[in-house]
Amino acid sequence: MARRRRTQRGHVFLGLLVLLGLLAAGISWLVWRPPDVGPALAWLIGGLVVAGWSALAFWRRDAFAAAKLLLFCTVMPAIFCVLWVFNAHSLGGPATWGGGASAVGAALLGRYLWREWRRVEVLPNVLLDAANKEDICELDGLQLCAGLLRPEEGPVPLELRILVQSCVDAERTLTVRLSGPSKTRVHYPDRVTVQVGPGEVGRLVVPLHPLPGARAGGTLHLGLNITGPGGPRLRFWRARPYVARIHPVMQVLALLAGMITWGGGWSVEVPVLPDAPPPRPQLPPERWTVVWRPGLEQLHQARAA
């Protein structure tokens, strides 16, 4: 049975476990004082076990993101060990061995990331040809961009169009949650769910109806949730990561803790339409259209790349 893909929160949790495990192991190594090494040894082993298990779980879910995190975790100790050796004027001891091991790990991870960046594309990048790179975001193997369009004909005066491109060899379930403007100003569905096939590119059209007489449309926030079985990557170009919107309650709690947080999320501005017709009792359903789908031969070539 295929494992369910974890969300971005799961990735963040695993990354924090890796950092905490390595931090515990590093501190225990620094306070190592023989012959009483029992507590330090326990913390060292425990920290390495936690970091190793978390790194392996992270790698299975998103090898590219895990490699970037582990590269940081190996480069920093290597730098500290080199500075320690220069300060002590000695090439022997744990600092030399630790720095050498960290440098080797960083070199291997850097080589892996470099190969991933330079991999030759087999499937066409339909989304990058249709939109600006800055407007595309990515989450759990799906790349998306959105915009508003006023159709010349149709039951609603405004449509939200989301282009979706799958980068993995597995089916994905995409759920888009809409929030923001009051329903007294804009009519829109609360959420929309579609199925995206392996390597598929599609267009999701969501009807919107700004009400006549509304002075402002407002900001329509789009929250993403993506699930589906794991699968190897078919498209290797990577868009900027999607960052979830920070809830105002979390901003207040962070402020009480002495931290200022902002940003995140994905949104579009709904314009004012003075000539908008009166809304119907019910919005028409959303539409999902497959723009491009890879053939069997293209899938085999992309899997072998």
Side-chain angles (χ1 to χ4, degrees), residues 121-133 136-138 142-145 163-167 199-201 233-239 291-292 298:
E121 295 283 0
V122 175
L123 301 183
N125 197 330
V126 180
L127 197 58
L128 188 59
D129 293 336
N132 295 326
K133 180 173 64 175
I136 304 173
C137 65
E138 180 173 337
L142 292 186
Q143 295 174 347
L144 309 96
C145 68
L163 282 175
V164 185
Q165 177 170 268
S166 172
C167 301
E200 197 172 78
V201 182
R233 197 166 180 99
L234 299 176
R235 288 185 173 91
F236 307 110
W237 177 79
R238 295 176 185 266
V291 177
W292 186 88
Q298 289 175 310

PDB file of all heavy atoms in Angstrom, residues 121-133 136-138 142-145 163-167 199-201 233-239 291-292 298:
ATOM      1  N   GLU A 121      15.092  17.631 -18.938  1.00  0.00           N
ATOM      2  CA  GLU A 121      13.645  17.460 -18.920  1.00  0.00           C
ATOM      3  C   GLU A 121      13.195  16.594 -20.105  1.00  0.00           C
ATOM      4  O   GLU A 121      13.686  16.752 -21.224  1.00  0.00           O
ATOM      5  CB  GLU A 121      12.946  18.819 -18.997  1.00  0.00           C
ATOM      6  CG  GLU A 121      13.196  19.719 -17.791  1.00  0.00           C
ATOM      7  CD  GLU A 121      12.384  19.316 -16.582  1.00  0.00           C
ATOM      8  OE1 GLU A 121      11.624  18.335 -16.669  1.00  0.00           O
ATOM      9  OE2 GLU A 121      12.517  19.972 -15.536  1.00  0.00           O
ATOM     10  N   VAL A 122      12.264  15.697 -19.831  1.00  0.00           N
ATOM     11  CA  VAL A 122      11.659  14.873 -20.868  1.00  0.00           C
ATOM     12  C   VAL A 122      10.264  15.387 -21.205  1.00  0.00           C
ATOM     13  O   VAL A 122       9.917  15.547 -22.374  1.00  0.00           O
ATOM     14  CB  VAL A 122      11.611  13.397 -20.429  1.00  0.00           C
ATOM     15  CG1 VAL A 122      10.874  12.554 -21.467  1.00  0.00           C
ATOM     16  CG2 VAL A 122      13.012  12.859 -20.197  1.00  0.00           C
ATOM     17  N   LEU A 123       9.475  15.669 -20.177  1.00  0.00           N
ATOM     18  CA  LEU A 123       8.119  16.177 -20.390  1.00  0.00           C
ATOM     19  C   LEU A 123       8.163  17.690 -20.598  1.00  0.00           C
ATOM     20  O   LEU A 123       8.992  18.387 -19.991  1.00  0.00           O
ATOM     21  CB  LEU A 123       7.230  15.853 -19.186  1.00  0.00           C
ATOM     22  CG  LEU A 123       7.076  14.373 -18.830  1.00  0.00           C
ATOM     23  CD1 LEU A 123       6.098  14.227 -17.672  1.00  0.00           C
ATOM     24  CD2 LEU A 123       6.622  13.562 -20.028  1.00  0.00           C
ATOM     25  N   PRO A 124       7.303  18.240 -21.437  1.00  0.00           N
ATOM     26  CA  PRO A 124       7.287  19.698 -21.639  1.00  0.00           C
ATOM     27  C   PRO A 124       6.809  20.418 -20.389  1.00  0.00           C
ATOM     28  O   PRO A 124       5.929  19.927 -19.668  1.00  0.00           O
ATOM     29  CB  PRO A 124       6.286  19.874 -22.796  1.00  0.00           C
ATOM     30  CG  PRO A 124       5.413  18.662 -22.727  1.00  0.00           C
ATOM     31  CD  PRO A 124       6.292  17.544 -22.262  1.00  0.00           C
ATOM     32  N   ASN A 125       7.391  21.574 -20.128  1.00  0.00           N
ATOM     33  CA  ASN A 125       6.987  22.391 -18.981  1.00  0.00           C
ATOM     34  C   ASN A 125       5.897  23.352 -19.455  1.00  0.00           C
ATOM     35  O   ASN A 125       6.149  24.509 -19.779  1.00  0.00           O
ATOM     36  CB  ASN A 125       8.187  23.161 -18.423  1.00  0.00           C
ATOM     37  CG  ASN A 125       7.938  23.674 -17.027  1.00  0.00           C
ATOM     38  OD1 ASN A 125       6.803  23.963 -16.656  1.00  0.00           O
ATOM     39  ND2 ASN A 125       8.989  23.801 -16.236  1.00  0.00           N
ATOM     40  N   VAL A 126       4.687  22.834 -19.503  1.00  0.00           N
ATOM     41  CA  VAL A 126       3.563  23.596 -20.044  1.00  0.00           C
ATOM     42  C   VAL A 126       3.291  24.837 -19.198  1.00  0.00           C
ATOM     43  O   VAL A 126       3.001  25.919 -19.733  1.00  0.00           O
ATOM     44  CB  VAL A 126       2.303  22.700 -20.120  1.00  0.00           C
ATOM     45  CG1 VAL A 126       1.124  23.484 -20.677  1.00  0.00           C
ATOM     46  CG2 VAL A 126       2.583  21.467 -20.953  1.00  0.00           C
ATOM     47  N   LEU A 127       3.384  24.703 -17.894  1.00  0.00           N
ATOM     48  CA  LEU A 127       3.056  25.821 -17.010  1.00  0.00           C
ATOM     49  C   LEU A 127       4.069  26.955 -17.142  1.00  0.00           C
ATOM     50  O   LEU A 127       3.690  28.130 -17.158  1.00  0.00           O
ATOM     51  CB  LEU A 127       3.004  25.315 -15.557  1.00  0.00           C
ATOM     52  CG  LEU A 127       2.306  26.224 -14.552  1.00  0.00           C
ATOM     53  CD1 LEU A 127       0.872  26.486 -14.962  1.00  0.00           C
ATOM     54  CD2 LEU A 127       2.337  25.597 -13.159  1.00  0.00           C
ATOM     55  N   LEU A 128       5.339  26.610 -17.247  1.00  0.00           N
ATOM     56  CA  LEU A 128       6.361  27.650 -17.377  1.00  0.00           C
ATOM     57  C   LEU A 128       6.252  28.370 -18.711  1.00  0.00           C
ATOM     58  O   LEU A 128       6.593  29.554 -18.817  1.00  0.00           O
ATOM     59  CB  LEU A 128       7.749  27.030 -17.219  1.00  0.00           C
ATOM     60  CG  LEU A 128       8.923  28.002 -17.135  1.00  0.00           C
ATOM     61  CD1 LEU A 128       8.763  28.954 -15.957  1.00  0.00           C
ATOM     62  CD2 LEU A 128      10.241  27.247 -17.025  1.00  0.00           C
ATOM     63  N   ASP A 129       5.762  27.696 -19.748  1.00  0.00           N
ATOM     64  CA  ASP A 129       5.556  28.343 -21.043  1.00  0.00           C
ATOM     65  C   ASP A 129       4.345  29.273 -21.029  1.00  0.00           C
ATOM     66  O   ASP A 129       4.269  30.214 -21.824  1.00  0.00           O
ATOM     67  CB  ASP A 129       5.365  27.292 -22.136  1.00  0.00           C
ATOM     68  CG  ASP A 129       6.627  26.484 -22.381  1.00  0.00           C
ATOM     69  OD1 ASP A 129       7.716  27.001 -22.063  1.00  0.00           O
ATOM     70  OD2 ASP A 129       6.524  25.341 -22.868  1.00  0.00           O
ATOM     71  N   ALA A 130       3.391  29.018 -20.112  1.00  0.00           N
ATOM     72  CA  ALA A 130       2.149  29.796 -20.095  1.00  0.00           C
ATOM     73  C   ALA A 130       2.148  30.913 -19.069  1.00  0.00           C
ATOM     74  O   ALA A 130       1.292  31.803 -19.125  1.00  0.00           O
ATOM     75  CB  ALA A 130       0.960  28.871 -19.825  1.00  0.00           C
ATOM     76  N   ALA A 131       3.087  30.913 -18.114  1.00  0.00           N
ATOM     77  CA  ALA A 131       3.064  31.900 -17.029  1.00  0.00           C
ATOM     78  C   ALA A 131       4.483  32.321 -16.684  1.00  0.00           C
ATOM     79  O   ALA A 131       5.459  31.659 -17.063  1.00  0.00           O
ATOM     80  CB  ALA A 131       2.367  31.322 -15.800  1.00  0.00           C
ATOM     81  N   ASN A 132       4.598  33.438 -15.972  1.00  0.00           N
ATOM     82  CA  ASN A 132       5.893  33.892 -15.492  1.00  0.00           C
ATOM     83  C   ASN A 132       6.385  33.002 -14.358  1.00  0.00           C
ATOM     84  O   ASN A 132       5.600  32.503 -13.545  1.00  0.00           O
ATOM     85  CB  ASN A 132       5.797  35.336 -14.995  1.00  0.00           C
ATOM     86  CG  ASN A 132       5.473  36.308 -16.102  1.00  0.00           C
ATOM     87  OD1 ASN A 132       5.902  36.125 -17.249  1.00  0.00           O
ATOM     88  ND2 ASN A 132       4.699  37.333 -15.789  1.00  0.00           N
ATOM     89  N   LYS A 133       7.686  32.819 -14.292  1.00  0.00           N
ATOM     90  CA  LYS A 133       8.267  31.966 -13.263  1.00  0.00           C
ATOM     91  C   LYS A 133       7.928  32.450 -11.860  1.00  0.00           C
ATOM     92  O   LYS A 133       7.702  31.656 -10.946  1.00  0.00           O
ATOM     93  CB  LYS A 133       9.789  31.922 -13.453  1.00  0.00           C
ATOM     94  CG  LYS A 133      10.526  31.075 -12.440  1.00  0.00           C
ATOM     95  CD  LYS A 133      11.997  30.949 -12.805  1.00  0.00           C
ATOM     96  CE  LYS A 133      12.695  32.288 -12.751  1.00  0.00           C
ATOM     97  NZ  LYS A 133      14.157  32.175 -12.985  1.00  0.00           N
ATOM     98  N   ILE A 136       4.501  31.221 -10.269  1.00  0.00           N
ATOM     99  CA  ILE A 136       4.262  29.787 -10.076  1.00  0.00           C
ATOM    100  C   ILE A 136       4.768  29.375  -8.700  1.00  0.00           C
ATOM    101  O   ILE A 136       5.867  29.752  -8.285  1.00  0.00           O
ATOM    102  CB  ILE A 136       4.970  28.973 -11.167  1.00  0.00           C
ATOM    103  CG1 ILE A 136       4.512  29.434 -12.563  1.00  0.00           C
ATOM    104  CG2 ILE A 136       4.695  27.488 -10.995  1.00  0.00           C
ATOM    105  CD1 ILE A 136       5.289  28.787 -13.690  1.00  0.00           C
ATOM    106  N   CYS A 137       3.948  28.609  -7.993  1.00  0.00           N
ATOM    107  CA  CYS A 137       4.374  28.053  -6.716  1.00  0.00           C
ATOM    108  C   CYS A 137       4.232  26.534  -6.763  1.00  0.00           C
ATOM    109  O   CYS A 137       3.570  25.983  -7.655  1.00  0.00           O
ATOM    110  CB  CYS A 137       3.583  28.634  -5.547  1.00  0.00           C
ATOM    111  SG  CYS A 137       1.824  28.220  -5.562  1.00  0.00           S
ATOM    112  N   GLU A 138       4.843  25.850  -5.814  1.00  0.00           N
ATOM    113  CA  GLU A 138       4.869  24.389  -5.832  1.00  0.00           C
ATOM    114  C   GLU A 138       4.653  23.837  -4.439  1.00  0.00           C
ATOM    115  O   GLU A 138       5.168  24.364  -3.448  1.00  0.00           O
ATOM    116  CB  GLU A 138       6.205  23.889  -6.388  1.00  0.00           C
ATOM    117  CG  GLU A 138       6.324  22.374  -6.441  1.00  0.00           C
ATOM    118  CD  GLU A 138       7.579  21.901  -7.156  1.00  0.00           C
ATOM    119  OE1 GLU A 138       8.128  22.674  -7.980  1.00  0.00           O
ATOM    120  OE2 GLU A 138       8.002  20.760  -6.887  1.00  0.00           O
ATOM    121  N   LEU A 142       2.951  19.307  -7.042  1.00  0.00           N
ATOM    122  CA  LEU A 142       2.094  20.063  -7.961  1.00  0.00           C
ATOM    123  C   LEU A 142       2.597  21.492  -8.067  1.00  0.00           C
ATOM    124  O   LEU A 142       2.943  22.113  -7.060  1.00  0.00           O
ATOM    125  CB  LEU A 142       0.639  20.072  -7.482  1.00  0.00           C
ATOM    126  CG  LEU A 142      -0.129  18.756  -7.505  1.00  0.00           C
ATOM    127  CD1 LEU A 142      -1.595  18.993  -7.148  1.00  0.00           C
ATOM    128  CD2 LEU A 142      -0.029  18.058  -8.852  1.00  0.00           C
ATOM    129  N   GLN A 143       2.626  22.025  -9.290  1.00  0.00           N
ATOM    130  CA  GLN A 143       2.964  23.423  -9.535  1.00  0.00           C
ATOM    131  C   GLN A 143       1.700  24.139  -9.989  1.00  0.00           C
ATOM    132  O   GLN A 143       0.933  23.607 -10.795  1.00  0.00           O
ATOM    133  CB  GLN A 143       4.057  23.525 -10.603  1.00  0.00           C
ATOM    134  CG  GLN A 143       5.373  22.921 -10.144  1.00  0.00           C
ATOM    135  CD  GLN A 143       6.421  22.880 -11.233  1.00  0.00           C
ATOM    136  OE1 GLN A 143       6.127  23.079 -12.408  1.00  0.00           O
ATOM    137  NE2 GLN A 143       7.663  22.616 -10.853  1.00  0.00           N
ATOM    138  N   LEU A 144       1.491  25.361  -9.457  1.00  0.00           N
ATOM    139  CA  LEU A 144       0.239  26.066  -9.713  1.00  0.00           C
ATOM    140  C   LEU A 144       0.495  27.545  -9.950  1.00  0.00           C
ATOM    141  O   LEU A 144       1.447  28.130  -9.417  1.00  0.00           O
ATOM    142  CB  LEU A 144      -0.724  25.923  -8.518  1.00  0.00           C
ATOM    143  CG  LEU A 144      -0.998  24.519  -7.988  1.00  0.00           C
ATOM    144  CD1 LEU A 144      -0.099  24.217  -6.800  1.00  0.00           C
ATOM    145  CD2 LEU A 144      -2.452  24.375  -7.566  1.00  0.00           C
ATOM    146  N   CYS A 145      -0.378  28.159 -10.740  1.00  0.00           N
ATOM    147  CA  CYS A 145      -0.446  29.604 -10.873  1.00  0.00           C
ATOM    148  C   CYS A 145      -1.916  29.971 -11.061  1.00  0.00           C
ATOM    149  O   CYS A 145      -2.708  29.163 -11.557  1.00  0.00           O
ATOM    150  CB  CYS A 145       0.417  30.137 -12.017  1.00  0.00           C
ATOM    151  SG  CYS A 145      -0.169  29.676 -13.656  1.00  0.00           S
ATOM    152  N   LEU A 163      -4.035  27.147 -13.141  1.00  0.00           N
ATOM    153  CA  LEU A 163      -3.330  26.148 -13.933  1.00  0.00           C
ATOM    154  C   LEU A 163      -2.557  25.234 -12.983  1.00  0.00           C
ATOM    155  O   LEU A 163      -1.846  25.715 -12.089  1.00  0.00           O
ATOM    156  CB  LEU A 163      -2.375  26.814 -14.918  1.00  0.00           C
ATOM    157  CG  LEU A 163      -2.991  27.413 -16.193  1.00  0.00           C
ATOM    158  CD1 LEU A 163      -1.920  28.130 -16.998  1.00  0.00           C
ATOM    159  CD2 LEU A 163      -3.644  26.321 -17.028  1.00  0.00           C
ATOM    160  N   VAL A 164      -2.705  23.942 -13.179  1.00  0.00           N
ATOM    161  CA  VAL A 164      -2.091  22.951 -12.294  1.00  0.00           C
ATOM    162  C   VAL A 164      -1.244  22.006 -13.138  1.00  0.00           C
ATOM    163  O   VAL A 164      -1.707  21.482 -14.160  1.00  0.00           O
ATOM    164  CB  VAL A 164      -3.162  22.157 -11.524  1.00  0.00           C
ATOM    165  CG1 VAL A 164      -2.502  21.211 -10.525  1.00  0.00           C
ATOM    166  CG2 VAL A 164      -4.129  23.090 -10.814  1.00  0.00           C
ATOM    167  N   GLN A 165      -0.009  21.776 -12.694  1.00  0.00           N
ATOM    168  CA  GLN A 165       0.895  20.882 -13.416  1.00  0.00           C
ATOM    169  C   GLN A 165       1.489  19.870 -12.443  1.00  0.00           C
ATOM    170  O   GLN A 165       2.105  20.242 -11.446  1.00  0.00           O
ATOM    171  CB  GLN A 165       2.018  21.694 -14.077  1.00  0.00           C
ATOM    172  CG  GLN A 165       3.064  20.854 -14.789  1.00  0.00           C
ATOM    173  CD  GLN A 165       4.008  21.704 -15.613  1.00  0.00           C
ATOM    174  OE1 GLN A 165       3.783  21.945 -16.793  1.00  0.00           O
ATOM    175  NE2 GLN A 165       5.071  22.190 -14.994  1.00  0.00           N
ATOM    176  N   SER A 166       1.291  18.599 -12.740  1.00  0.00           N
ATOM    177  CA  SER A 166       1.847  17.543 -11.896  1.00  0.00           C
ATOM    178  C   SER A 166       3.290  17.267 -12.288  1.00  0.00           C
ATOM    179  O   SER A 166       3.617  17.161 -13.480  1.00  0.00           O
ATOM    180  CB  SER A 166       1.018  16.266 -12.030  1.00  0.00           C
ATOM    181  OG  SER A 166       1.648  15.196 -11.355  1.00  0.00           O
ATOM    182  N   CYS A 167       4.151  17.132 -11.288  1.00  0.00           N
ATOM    183  CA  CYS A 167       5.569  16.858 -11.528  1.00  0.00           C
ATOM    184  C   CYS A 167       5.975  15.460 -11.081  1.00  0.00           C
ATOM    185  O   CYS A 167       7.160  15.130 -11.109  1.00  0.00           O
ATOM    186  CB  CYS A 167       6.437  17.887 -10.801  1.00  0.00           C
ATOM    187  SG  CYS A 167       6.135  19.591 -11.286  1.00  0.00           S
ATOM    188  N   GLY A 199       1.930  13.498 -14.155  1.00  0.00           N
ATOM    189  CA  GLY A 199       2.448  14.353 -15.220  1.00  0.00           C
ATOM    190  C   GLY A 199       1.418  15.181 -15.929  1.00  0.00           C
ATOM    191  O   GLY A 199       1.730  15.836 -16.931  1.00  0.00           O
ATOM    192  N   GLU A 200       0.214  15.214 -15.433  1.00  0.00           N
ATOM    193  CA  GLU A 200      -0.896  15.876 -16.120  1.00  0.00           C
ATOM    194  C   GLU A 200      -0.869  17.384 -15.898  1.00  0.00           C
ATOM    195  O   GLU A 200      -0.391  17.867 -14.873  1.00  0.00           O
ATOM    196  CB  GLU A 200      -2.211  15.291 -15.589  1.00  0.00           C
ATOM    197  CG  GLU A 200      -3.434  15.532 -16.418  1.00  0.00           C
ATOM    198  CD  GLU A 200      -4.613  14.735 -15.882  1.00  0.00           C
ATOM    199  OE1 GLU A 200      -5.216  15.161 -14.881  1.00  0.00           O
ATOM    200  OE2 GLU A 200      -4.913  13.679 -16.468  1.00  0.00           O
ATOM    201  N   VAL A 201      -1.410  18.123 -16.854  1.00  0.00           N
ATOM    202  CA  VAL A 201      -1.571  19.569 -16.748  1.00  0.00           C
ATOM    203  C   VAL A 201      -3.050  19.875 -16.979  1.00  0.00           C
ATOM    204  O   VAL A 201      -3.641  19.393 -17.954  1.00  0.00           O
ATOM    205  CB  VAL A 201      -0.712  20.326 -17.775  1.00  0.00           C
ATOM    206  CG1 VAL A 201      -0.870  21.836 -17.589  1.00  0.00           C
ATOM    207  CG2 VAL A 201       0.751  19.925 -17.648  1.00  0.00           C
ATOM    208  N   ARG A 233       9.806  11.737  -9.295  1.00  0.00           N
ATOM    209  CA  ARG A 233       9.591  12.998  -9.985  1.00  0.00           C
ATOM    210  C   ARG A 233       9.747  12.805 -11.491  1.00  0.00           C
ATOM    211  O   ARG A 233      10.673  12.134 -11.956  1.00  0.00           O
ATOM    212  CB  ARG A 233      10.569  14.051  -9.465  1.00  0.00           C
ATOM    213  CG  ARG A 233      10.153  15.476  -9.820  1.00  0.00           C
ATOM    214  CD  ARG A 233      10.933  16.497  -9.033  1.00  0.00           C
ATOM    215  NE  ARG A 233      10.509  17.838  -9.398  1.00  0.00           N
ATOM    216  CZ  ARG A 233       9.658  18.569  -8.717  1.00  0.00           C
ATOM    217  NH1 ARG A 233       9.115  18.074  -7.615  1.00  0.00           N
ATOM    218  NH2 ARG A 233       9.327  19.796  -9.105  1.00  0.00           N
ATOM    219  N   LEU A 234       8.851  13.442 -12.262  1.00  0.00           N
ATOM    220  CA  LEU A 234       8.884  13.386 -13.712  1.00  0.00           C
ATOM    221  C   LEU A 234       9.362  14.697 -14.325  1.00  0.00           C
ATOM    222  O   LEU A 234       9.950  14.686 -15.411  1.00  0.00           O
ATOM    223  CB  LEU A 234       7.487  13.055 -14.264  1.00  0.00           C
ATOM    224  CG  LEU A 234       6.881  11.713 -13.848  1.00  0.00           C
ATOM    225  CD1 LEU A 234       5.467  11.586 -14.385  1.00  0.00           C
ATOM    226  CD2 LEU A 234       7.742  10.557 -14.334  1.00  0.00           C
ATOM    227  N   ARG A 235       9.050  15.814 -13.674  1.00  0.00           N
ATOM    228  CA  ARG A 235       9.550  17.124 -14.097  1.00  0.00           C
ATOM    229  C   ARG A 235      10.517  17.610 -13.023  1.00  0.00           C
ATOM    230  O   ARG A 235      10.215  17.566 -11.841  1.00  0.00           O
ATOM    231  CB  ARG A 235       8.401  18.122 -14.267  1.00  0.00           C
ATOM    232  CG  ARG A 235       7.527  17.861 -15.488  1.00  0.00           C
ATOM    233  CD  ARG A 235       6.481  18.965 -15.647  1.00  0.00           C
ATOM    234  NE  ARG A 235       5.742  18.843 -16.897  1.00  0.00           N
ATOM    235  CZ  ARG A 235       4.609  18.160 -17.033  1.00  0.00           C
ATOM    236  NH1 ARG A 235       4.077  17.560 -15.965  1.00  0.00           N
ATOM    237  NH2 ARG A 235       4.009  18.080 -18.200  1.00  0.00           N
ATOM    238  N   PHE A 236      11.679  18.098 -13.455  1.00  0.00           N
ATOM    239  CA  PHE A 236      12.741  18.376 -12.510  1.00  0.00           C
ATOM    240  C   PHE A 236      12.944  19.862 -12.235  1.00  0.00           C
ATOM    241  O   PHE A 236      13.662  20.220 -11.305  1.00  0.00           O
ATOM    242  CB  PHE A 236      14.055  17.751 -13.010  1.00  0.00           C
ATOM    243  CG  PHE A 236      13.891  16.292 -13.336  1.00  0.00           C
ATOM    244  CD1 PHE A 236      13.935  15.845 -14.653  1.00  0.00           C
ATOM    245  CD2 PHE A 236      13.667  15.370 -12.337  1.00  0.00           C
ATOM    246  CE1 PHE A 236      13.766  14.508 -14.957  1.00  0.00           C
ATOM    247  CE2 PHE A 236      13.496  14.029 -12.622  1.00  0.00           C
ATOM    248  CZ  PHE A 236      13.541  13.600 -13.938  1.00  0.00           C
ATOM    249  N   TRP A 237      12.347  20.728 -13.046  1.00  0.00           N
ATOM    250  CA  TRP A 237      12.383  22.155 -12.713  1.00  0.00           C
ATOM    251  C   TRP A 237      11.498  22.384 -11.499  1.00  0.00           C
ATOM    252  O   TRP A 237      10.406  21.832 -11.401  1.00  0.00           O
ATOM    253  CB  TRP A 237      11.879  22.991 -13.886  1.00  0.00           C
ATOM    254  CG  TRP A 237      11.842  24.456 -13.554  1.00  0.00           C
ATOM    255  CD1 TRP A 237      12.884  25.330 -13.523  1.00  0.00           C
ATOM    256  CD2 TRP A 237      10.682  25.218 -13.177  1.00  0.00           C
ATOM    257  NE1 TRP A 237      12.469  26.578 -13.160  1.00  0.00           N
ATOM    258  CE2 TRP A 237      11.113  26.544 -12.939  1.00  0.00           C
ATOM    259  CE3 TRP A 237       9.333  24.916 -13.022  1.00  0.00           C
ATOM    260  CZ2 TRP A 237      10.251  27.562 -12.555  1.00  0.00           C
ATOM    261  CZ3 TRP A 237       8.464  25.925 -12.637  1.00  0.00           C
ATOM    262  CH2 TRP A 237       8.914  27.226 -12.408  1.00  0.00           C
ATOM    263  N   ARG A 238      11.981  23.193 -10.561  1.00  0.00           N
ATOM    264  CA  ARG A 238      11.267  23.422  -9.310  1.00  0.00           C
ATOM    265  C   ARG A 238      10.880  24.886  -9.182  1.00  0.00           C
ATOM    266  O   ARG A 238      11.718  25.770  -9.373  1.00  0.00           O
ATOM    267  CB  ARG A 238      12.116  22.989  -8.107  1.00  0.00           C
ATOM    268  CG  ARG A 238      12.374  21.486  -8.114  1.00  0.00           C
ATOM    269  CD  ARG A 238      13.298  21.063  -6.995  1.00  0.00           C
ATOM    270  NE  ARG A 238      13.615  19.651  -7.106  1.00  0.00           N
ATOM    271  CZ  ARG A 238      12.964  18.667  -6.477  1.00  0.00           C
ATOM    272  NH1 ARG A 238      11.964  18.971  -5.660  1.00  0.00           N
ATOM    273  NH2 ARG A 238      13.311  17.405  -6.638  1.00  0.00           N
ATOM    274  N   ALA A 239       9.614  25.110  -8.868  1.00  0.00           N
ATOM    275  CA  ALA A 239       9.116  26.465  -8.647  1.00  0.00           C
ATOM    276  C   ALA A 239       9.341  26.856  -7.189  1.00  0.00           C
ATOM    277  O   ALA A 239       9.750  26.037  -6.354  1.00  0.00           O
ATOM    278  CB  ALA A 239       7.629  26.537  -9.001  1.00  0.00           C
ATOM    279  N   VAL A 291      -5.488  19.964 -19.897  1.00  0.00           N
ATOM    280  CA  VAL A 291      -4.844  20.688 -20.994  1.00  0.00           C
ATOM    281  C   VAL A 291      -3.838  19.817 -21.724  1.00  0.00           C
ATOM    282  O   VAL A 291      -3.718  19.861 -22.956  1.00  0.00           O
ATOM    283  CB  VAL A 291      -4.167  21.964 -20.443  1.00  0.00           C
ATOM    284  CG1 VAL A 291      -3.418  22.697 -21.547  1.00  0.00           C
ATOM    285  CG2 VAL A 291      -5.194  22.883 -19.801  1.00  0.00           C
ATOM    286  N   TRP A 292      -3.096  19.024 -20.975  1.00  0.00           N
ATOM    287  CA  TRP A 292      -2.062  18.164 -21.575  1.00  0.00           C
ATOM    288  C   TRP A 292      -1.893  16.930 -20.700  1.00  0.00           C
ATOM    289  O   TRP A 292      -1.916  17.021 -19.470  1.00  0.00           O
ATOM    290  CB  TRP A 292      -0.745  18.919 -21.691  1.00  0.00           C
ATOM    291  CG  TRP A 292       0.324  18.157 -22.433  1.00  0.00           C
ATOM    292  CD1 TRP A 292       0.540  18.160 -23.787  1.00  0.00           C
ATOM    293  CD2 TRP A 292       1.299  17.280 -21.876  1.00  0.00           C
ATOM    294  NE1 TRP A 292       1.588  17.331 -24.096  1.00  0.00           N
ATOM    295  CE2 TRP A 292       2.079  16.783 -22.939  1.00  0.00           C
ATOM    296  CE3 TRP A 292       1.591  16.872 -20.575  1.00  0.00           C
ATOM    297  CZ2 TRP A 292       3.129  15.901 -22.748  1.00  0.00           C
ATOM    298  CZ3 TRP A 292       2.636  15.978 -20.377  1.00  0.00           C
ATOM    299  CH2 TRP A 292       3.399  15.508 -21.464  1.00  0.00           C
ATOM    300  N   GLN A 298       5.980   8.667 -23.414  1.00  0.00           N
ATOM    301  CA  GLN A 298       6.576   9.805 -22.705  1.00  0.00           C
ATOM    302  C   GLN A 298       6.755   9.498 -21.225  1.00  0.00           C
ATOM    303  O   GLN A 298       7.778   9.871 -20.618  1.00  0.00           O
ATOM    304  CB  GLN A 298       5.707  11.040 -22.875  1.00  0.00           C
ATOM    305  CG  GLN A 298       5.735  11.620 -24.277  1.00  0.00           C
ATOM    306  CD  GLN A 298       4.754  12.765 -24.431  1.00  0.00           C
ATOM    307  OE1 GLN A 298       3.585  12.654 -24.083  1.00  0.00           O
ATOM    308  NE2 GLN A 298       5.235  13.879 -24.970  1.00  0.00           N
TER     309      GLN A 298
END
